[in-house]
mmCIF file of all heavy atoms in Angstrom:
data_model
loop_
_atom_site.group_PDB
_atom_site.id
_atom_site.type_symbol
_atom_site.label_atom_id
_atom_site.label_comp_id
_atom_site.label_asym_id
_atom_site.label_seq_id
_atom_site.Cartn_x
_atom_site.Cartn_y
_atom_site.Cartn_z
ATOM 1 N N TYR A 1 -23.439 4.542 -15.623
ATOM 2 C CA TYR A 1 -23.144 5.973 -15.746
ATOM 3 C C TYR A 1 -24.237 6.812 -15.072
ATOM 4 O O TYR A 1 -23.947 7.845 -14.459
ATOM 5 C CB TYR A 1 -22.977 6.390 -17.207
ATOM 6 C CG TYR A 1 -21.696 5.904 -17.828
ATOM 7 C CD1 TYR A 1 -21.713 5.090 -18.945
ATOM 8 C CD2 TYR A 1 -20.454 6.254 -17.296
ATOM 9 C CE1 TYR A 1 -20.525 4.636 -19.524
ATOM 10 C CE2 TYR A 1 -19.272 5.805 -17.854
ATOM 11 C CZ TYR A 1 -19.315 4.995 -18.970
ATOM 12 O OH TYR A 1 -18.145 4.552 -19.531
ATOM 13 N N LEU A 2 -25.481 6.370 -15.193
ATOM 14 C CA LEU A 2 -26.574 7.077 -14.531
ATOM 15 C C LEU A 2 -26.421 6.998 -13.012
ATOM 16 O O LEU A 2 -26.668 7.973 -12.305
ATOM 17 C CB LEU A 2 -27.924 6.501 -14.963
ATOM 18 C CG LEU A 2 -29.151 7.210 -14.405
ATOM 19 C CD1 LEU A 2 -29.247 8.637 -14.959
ATOM 20 C CD2 LEU A 2 -30.418 6.425 -14.745
ATOM 21 N N CYS A 3 -25.976 5.852 -12.517
ATOM 22 C CA CYS A 3 -25.719 5.712 -11.073
ATOM 23 C C CYS A 3 -24.644 6.695 -10.629
ATOM 24 O O CYS A 3 -24.772 7.338 -9.577
ATOM 25 C CB CYS A 3 -25.310 4.282 -10.740
ATOM 26 S SG CYS A 3 -26.647 3.084 -10.880
ATOM 27 N N LYS A 4 -23.594 6.830 -11.415
ATOM 28 C CA LYS A 4 -22.525 7.783 -11.083
ATOM 29 C C LYS A 4 -23.064 9.207 -11.121
ATOM 30 O O LYS A 4 -22.767 10.018 -10.242
ATOM 31 C CB LYS A 4 -21.351 7.608 -12.056
ATOM 32 C CG LYS A 4 -20.227 8.600 -11.852
ATOM 33 C CD LYS A 4 -19.622 8.521 -10.469
ATOM 34 C CE LYS A 4 -18.458 9.492 -10.334
ATOM 35 N NZ LYS A 4 -18.359 10.040 -8.992
ATOM 36 N N GLU A 5 -23.861 9.497 -12.132
ATOM 37 C CA GLU A 5 -24.465 10.820 -12.234
ATOM 38 C C GLU A 5 -25.350 11.102 -11.016
ATOM 39 O O GLU A 5 -25.356 12.220 -10.482
ATOM 40 C CB GLU A 5 -25.293 10.885 -13.523
ATOM 41 C CG GLU A 5 -25.777 12.246 -13.894
ATOM 42 C CD GLU A 5 -26.528 12.256 -15.222
ATOM 43 O OE1 GLU A 5 -26.521 11.248 -15.972
ATOM 44 O OE2 GLU A 5 -27.135 13.307 -15.495
ATOM 45 N N ALA A 6 -26.066 10.093 -10.547
ATOM 46 C CA ALA A 6 -26.923 10.247 -9.374
ATOM 47 C C ALA A 6 -26.093 10.570 -8.127
ATOM 48 O O ALA A 6 -26.438 11.474 -7.360
ATOM 49 C CB ALA A 6 -27.743 8.984 -9.147
ATOM 50 N N VAL A 7 -25.007 9.843 -7.933
ATOM 51 C CA VAL A 7 -24.148 10.091 -6.770
ATOM 52 C C VAL A 7 -23.570 11.507 -6.841
ATOM 53 O O VAL A 7 -23.546 12.235 -5.839
ATOM 54 C CB VAL A 7 -23.023 9.042 -6.667
ATOM 55 C CG1 VAL A 7 -22.037 9.417 -5.572
ATOM 56 C CG2 VAL A 7 -23.605 7.660 -6.409
ATOM 57 N N ASP A 8 -23.123 11.909 -8.014
ATOM 58 C CA ASP A 8 -22.584 13.266 -8.175
ATOM 59 C C ASP A 8 -23.649 14.321 -7.895
ATOM 60 O O ASP A 8 -23.360 15.357 -7.282
ATOM 61 C CB ASP A 8 -22.013 13.453 -9.585
ATOM 62 C CG ASP A 8 -20.760 12.624 -9.831
ATOM 63 O OD1 ASP A 8 -20.154 12.121 -8.856
ATOM 64 O OD2 ASP A 8 -20.387 12.471 -11.012
ATOM 65 N N LEU A 9 -24.871 14.056 -8.328
ATOM 66 C CA LEU A 9 -25.958 15.003 -8.094
ATOM 67 C C LEU A 9 -26.288 15.103 -6.601
ATOM 68 O O LEU A 9 -26.562 16.194 -6.094
ATOM 69 C CB LEU A 9 -27.196 14.587 -8.894
ATOM 70 C CG LEU A 9 -28.377 15.540 -8.867
ATOM 71 C CD1 LEU A 9 -27.982 16.925 -9.391
ATOM 72 C CD2 LEU A 9 -29.526 14.968 -9.691
ATOM 73 N N VAL A 10 -26.219 13.986 -5.909
ATOM 74 C CA VAL A 10 -26.482 14.000 -4.461
ATOM 75 C C VAL A 10 -25.497 14.929 -3.749
ATOM 76 O O VAL A 10 -25.852 15.608 -2.789
ATOM 77 C CB VAL A 10 -26.429 12.573 -3.880
ATOM 78 C CG1 VAL A 10 -26.297 12.581 -2.359
ATOM 79 C CG2 VAL A 10 -27.660 11.789 -4.303
ATOM 80 N N ARG A 11 -24.279 14.988 -4.233
ATOM 81 C CA ARG A 11 -23.271 15.851 -3.597
ATOM 82 C C ARG A 11 -23.664 17.327 -3.639
ATOM 83 O O ARG A 11 -23.298 18.081 -2.751
ATOM 84 C CB ARG A 11 -21.917 15.646 -4.253
ATOM 85 C CG ARG A 11 -21.372 14.251 -4.025
ATOM 86 C CD ARG A 11 -19.905 14.165 -4.399
ATOM 87 N NE ARG A 11 -19.412 12.815 -4.405
ATOM 88 C CZ ARG A 11 -19.244 12.043 -3.336
ATOM 89 N NH1 ARG A 11 -19.571 12.488 -2.153
ATOM 90 N NH2 ARG A 11 -18.754 10.826 -3.455
ATOM 91 N N ILE A 12 -24.416 17.735 -4.661
ATOM 92 C CA ILE A 12 -24.824 19.146 -4.747
ATOM 93 C C ILE A 12 -26.285 19.359 -4.359
ATOM 94 O O ILE A 12 -26.699 20.478 -4.114
ATOM 95 C CB ILE A 12 -24.545 19.742 -6.141
ATOM 96 C CG1 ILE A 12 -25.272 18.968 -7.226
ATOM 97 C CG2 ILE A 12 -23.064 19.804 -6.417
ATOM 98 C CD1 ILE A 12 -25.212 19.626 -8.591
ATOM 99 N N GLU A 13 -27.056 18.279 -4.316
ATOM 100 C CA GLU A 13 -28.473 18.345 -3.936
ATOM 101 C C GLU A 13 -28.719 17.398 -2.761
ATOM 102 O O GLU A 13 -29.568 16.511 -2.816
ATOM 103 C CB GLU A 13 -29.357 17.948 -5.132
ATOM 104 C CG GLU A 13 -29.292 18.902 -6.311
ATOM 105 C CD GLU A 13 -29.943 20.252 -6.021
ATOM 106 O OE1 GLU A 13 -30.806 20.338 -5.111
ATOM 107 O OE2 GLU A 13 -29.568 21.221 -6.699
ATOM 108 N N TRP A 14 -27.940 17.580 -1.699
ATOM 109 C CA TRP A 14 -27.958 16.659 -0.557
ATOM 110 C C TRP A 14 -29.360 16.435 -0.005
ATOM 111 O O TRP A 14 -29.735 15.321 0.351
ATOM 112 C CB TRP A 14 -27.007 17.169 0.525
ATOM 113 C CG TRP A 14 -26.926 16.256 1.709
ATOM 114 C CD1 TRP A 14 -27.405 16.497 2.956
ATOM 115 C CD2 TRP A 14 -26.330 14.957 1.756
ATOM 116 N NE1 TRP A 14 -27.150 15.423 3.789
ATOM 117 C CE2 TRP A 14 -26.484 14.466 3.068
ATOM 118 C CE3 TRP A 14 -25.692 14.151 0.818
ATOM 119 C CZ2 TRP A 14 -26.023 13.221 3.473
ATOM 120 C CZ3 TRP A 14 -25.227 12.901 1.214
ATOM 121 C CH2 TRP A 14 -25.393 12.447 2.522
ATOM 122 N N ASP A 15 -30.169 17.475 0.066
ATOM 123 C CA ASP A 15 -31.510 17.339 0.638
ATOM 124 C C ASP A 15 -32.436 16.474 -0.219
ATOM 125 O O ASP A 15 -33.472 16.022 0.257
ATOM 126 C CB ASP A 15 -32.144 18.709 0.858
ATOM 127 C CG ASP A 15 -31.449 19.484 1.970
ATOM 128 O OD1 ASP A 15 -30.755 18.854 2.809
ATOM 129 O OD2 ASP A 15 -31.591 20.720 2.008
ATOM 130 N N ASP A 16 -32.059 16.240 -1.468
ATOM 131 C CA ASP A 16 -32.868 15.421 -2.374
ATOM 132 C C ASP A 16 -32.313 14.013 -2.554
ATOM 133 O O ASP A 16 -32.747 13.275 -3.433
ATOM 134 C CB ASP A 16 -32.969 16.100 -3.750
ATOM 135 C CG ASP A 16 -33.777 17.383 -3.695
ATOM 136 O OD1 ASP A 16 -34.674 17.496 -2.833
ATOM 137 O OD2 ASP A 16 -33.503 18.275 -4.520
ATOM 138 N N ARG A 17 -31.388 13.595 -1.692
ATOM 139 C CA ARG A 17 -30.711 12.307 -1.865
ATOM 140 C C ARG A 17 -31.661 11.119 -1.855
ATOM 141 O O ARG A 17 -31.480 10.168 -2.605
ATOM 142 C CB ARG A 17 -29.599 12.128 -0.846
ATOM 143 C CG ARG A 17 -30.055 12.070 0.593
ATOM 144 C CD ARG A 17 -28.878 12.192 1.559
ATOM 145 N NE ARG A 17 -29.337 12.339 2.930
ATOM 146 C CZ ARG A 17 -29.779 13.463 3.465
ATOM 147 N NH1 ARG A 17 -29.836 14.561 2.736
ATOM 148 N NH2 ARG A 17 -30.158 13.503 4.728
ATOM 149 N N GLU A 18 -32.678 11.171 -1.015
ATOM 150 C CA GLU A 18 -33.608 10.044 -0.948
ATOM 151 C C GLU A 18 -34.443 9.947 -2.222
ATOM 152 O O GLU A 18 -34.716 8.847 -2.715
ATOM 153 C CB GLU A 18 -34.487 10.173 0.291
ATOM 154 C CG GLU A 18 -33.685 10.018 1.579
ATOM 155 C CD GLU A 18 -34.260 10.777 2.761
ATOM 156 O OE1 GLU A 18 -35.336 11.389 2.625
ATOM 157 O OE2 GLU A 18 -33.611 10.766 3.817
ATOM 158 N N ILE A 19 -34.823 11.084 -2.783
ATOM 159 C CA ILE A 19 -35.578 11.103 -4.037
ATOM 160 C C ILE A 19 -34.710 10.588 -5.181
ATOM 161 O O ILE A 19 -35.162 9.778 -5.999
ATOM 162 C CB ILE A 19 -36.082 12.538 -4.336
ATOM 163 C CG1 ILE A 19 -37.092 12.969 -3.280
ATOM 164 C CG2 ILE A 19 -36.673 12.626 -5.737
ATOM 165 C CD1 ILE A 19 -37.421 14.450 -3.308
ATOM 166 N N ILE A 20 -33.467 11.031 -5.231
ATOM 167 C CA ILE A 20 -32.547 10.587 -6.283
ATOM 168 C C ILE A 20 -32.319 9.083 -6.165
ATOM 169 O O ILE A 20 -32.355 8.356 -7.170
ATOM 170 C CB ILE A 20 -31.226 11.386 -6.214
ATOM 171 C CG1 ILE A 20 -31.495 12.861 -6.548
ATOM 172 C CG2 ILE A 20 -30.172 10.781 -7.139
ATOM 173 C CD1 ILE A 20 -30.359 13.806 -6.210
ATOM 174 N N ALA A 21 -32.099 8.605 -4.960
ATOM 175 C CA ALA A 21 -31.908 7.165 -4.751
ATOM 176 C C ALA A 21 -33.155 6.395 -5.172
ATOM 177 O O ALA A 21 -33.063 5.318 -5.771
ATOM 178 C CB ALA A 21 -31.568 6.876 -3.296
ATOM 179 N N ASN A 22 -34.318 6.949 -4.890
ATOM 180 C CA ASN A 22 -35.570 6.304 -5.273
ATOM 181 C C ASN A 22 -35.681 6.172 -6.784
ATOM 182 O O ASN A 22 -36.167 5.151 -7.291
ATOM 183 C CB ASN A 22 -36.755 7.090 -4.712
ATOM 184 C CG ASN A 22 -38.076 6.526 -5.161
ATOM 185 O OD1 ASN A 22 -38.606 6.946 -6.187
ATOM 186 N ND2 ASN A 22 -38.600 5.584 -4.400
ATOM 187 N N ARG A 23 -35.231 7.170 -7.516
ATOM 188 C CA ARG A 23 -35.306 7.125 -8.988
ATOM 189 C C ARG A 23 -34.438 5.988 -9.545
ATOM 190 O O ARG A 23 -34.867 5.246 -10.426
ATOM 191 C CB ARG A 23 -34.870 8.456 -9.604
ATOM 192 C CG ARG A 23 -35.685 9.650 -9.194
ATOM 193 C CD ARG A 23 -37.149 9.528 -9.621
ATOM 194 N NE ARG A 23 -37.871 10.754 -9.378
ATOM 195 C CZ ARG A 23 -38.641 10.978 -8.330
ATOM 196 N NH1 ARG A 23 -38.781 10.063 -7.406
ATOM 197 N NH2 ARG A 23 -39.289 12.115 -8.193
ATOM 198 N N ILE A 24 -33.246 5.833 -8.994
ATOM 199 C CA ILE A 24 -32.370 4.743 -9.438
ATOM 200 C C ILE A 24 -32.962 3.400 -9.017
ATOM 201 O O ILE A 24 -32.949 2.430 -9.790
ATOM 202 C CB ILE A 24 -30.946 4.913 -8.879
ATOM 203 C CG1 ILE A 24 -30.299 6.197 -9.420
ATOM 204 C CG2 ILE A 24 -30.089 3.683 -9.208
ATOM 205 C CD1 ILE A 24 -30.063 6.223 -10.916
#
């Protein structure tokens, strides 16, 4: 579920995608 939440967040915070991916 956290992975899904991360993907959804990337859609609205595209510039932070690498940071979000790093957290997962």
Side-chain angles (χ1 to χ4, degrees):
Y1 288 121
L2 184 66
C3 290
K4 177 60 177 146
E5 190 177 350
V7 172
D8 292 345
L9 186 58
V10 164
R11 294 193 190 291
I12 59 171
E13 295 291 337
W14 182 250
D15 291 340
D16 292 331
R17 64 192 171 281
E18 293 151 4
I19 295 168
I20 294 167
N22 176 269
R23 300 298 188 261
I24 297 295

